[in-house]
Every structure is written in C-alpha cells, then in structure tokens.
C-alpha cells in the first residue's frame, strides 16, 4: 500500500467515525412572537350625579347596583330619570368604564354638563 492509499483510507475512517456525531447534532431554532395590543379610546357620556356611563358607539349603558356594575342596552326604568339632563363626554382607554371610575370621579364628578 502506498502513501496515497493510506491517506485516503485514514481520511475515510476519520470521516466515517465522525458521521454518527454529526448525525446526532440538532439545530434548534426558536421563534418568538410578540403581540402588542393597543387599546383604543372609547367614548362615553358620563352622568356624574349617579355614576352612569353610556357608550354611544355600542349603545350600552353601565351603572352601579350596590357594589356591582351592570350593563345593558337599556337602563332600568328607575335609573332613566337620572339621564334626562345631559352628561359629560369623556374618553377612556377601556371597554369597561367602571374600571376607571375612581379616576373619572376625581376628574369629572363636579364637571358641568356638556349640553348646558
């Protein structure tokens, strides 16, 4: 056997010996997706005398009954007299205005009505 043949055999042996190690290596690719949700502004008419909100776009009222907040497309009859006189137009960053009620009270409770 000559030198050239020995080199070819040695190279082939090393390559074959390394083959299982190469076969076991895996490449992991991780994809991370970040979703950013931007809350839009939601318009309401706030009736501060009784903490009643009306969302003109969805035509939904929000009001407090005891410690709970309720919502519906119509106010119960006993609350309707409280909204006969204007309200304050406000914008909030939530679809549930009662989540910002403390802030609204601090900023708008004694505000003049927009349609006076």
């Amino acid at each position: 056997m000559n030198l050239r043949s020995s080199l070819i055999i040695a190279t082939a042996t090393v390559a074959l010996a390394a083959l299982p190690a190469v076969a076991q290596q895996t490449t992991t690719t991780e994809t991370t997706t970040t979703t950013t949700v931007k809350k839009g502004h939601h318009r309401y008419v706030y009736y501060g005398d009784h903490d009643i909100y009306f969302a003109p776009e969805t035509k939904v009222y929000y009001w407090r009954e005891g410690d709970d907040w309720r919502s519906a497309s119509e106010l119960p009859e006993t609350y309707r007299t409280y909204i006969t006189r204007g309200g304050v137009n406000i914008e909030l960053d939530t679809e549930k205005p009662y989540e910002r009620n403390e802030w609204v009270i601090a900023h708008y409770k004694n505000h003049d009505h927009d349609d006076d």
Side-chain angles (χ1 to χ4, degrees):
M1 186 183 297
N2 63 21
L3 183 58
R4 185 171 182 225
S5 296
S6 296
L7 278 173
I8 292 174
I9 292 174
T11 304
T13 303
V14 169
L16 288 174
L19 198 56
V22 171
Q24 290 177 2
Q25 291 179 353
T26 57
T27 303
T28 303
T29 304
E30 224 175 280
T31 303
T32 304
T33 304
T34 302
T35 303
T36 303
V37 177
K38 183 178 179 185
K39 291 184 177 181
H41 289 281
H42 302 276
R43 293 184 327 116
Y44 300 97
V45 178
Y46 171 65
Y47 301 91
D49 294 343
H50 291 88
D51 287 334
I52 296 172
Y53 297 87
F54 175 68
E57 287 86 10
T58 58
K59 299 186 182 349
V60 173
Y61 287 94
Y62 300 86
W63 69 95
R64 188 188 299 248
E65 281 185 8
D67 291 336
D68 297 323
W69 282 92
R70 306 280 187 220
S71 64
S73 59
E74 288 188 11
L75 279 172
E77 192 171 330
T78 57
Y79 290 90
R80 292 180 194 161
T81 58
Y82 301 136
I83 62 164
T84 57
R85 185 172 167 229
V88 179
N89 291 309
I90 62 173
E91 284 191 10
L92 298 174
D93 64 346
T94 179
E95 294 178 353
K96 299 173 185 172
Y98 50 85
E99 292 178 337
R100 306 288 186 272
N101 193 53
E102 294 301 318
W103 184 88
V104 171
I105 288 172
H107 290 86
Y108 295 101
K109 185 74 168 182
N110 297 317
H111 190 279
D112 289 333
H113 299 279
D114 284 345
D115 66 351
D116 285 349

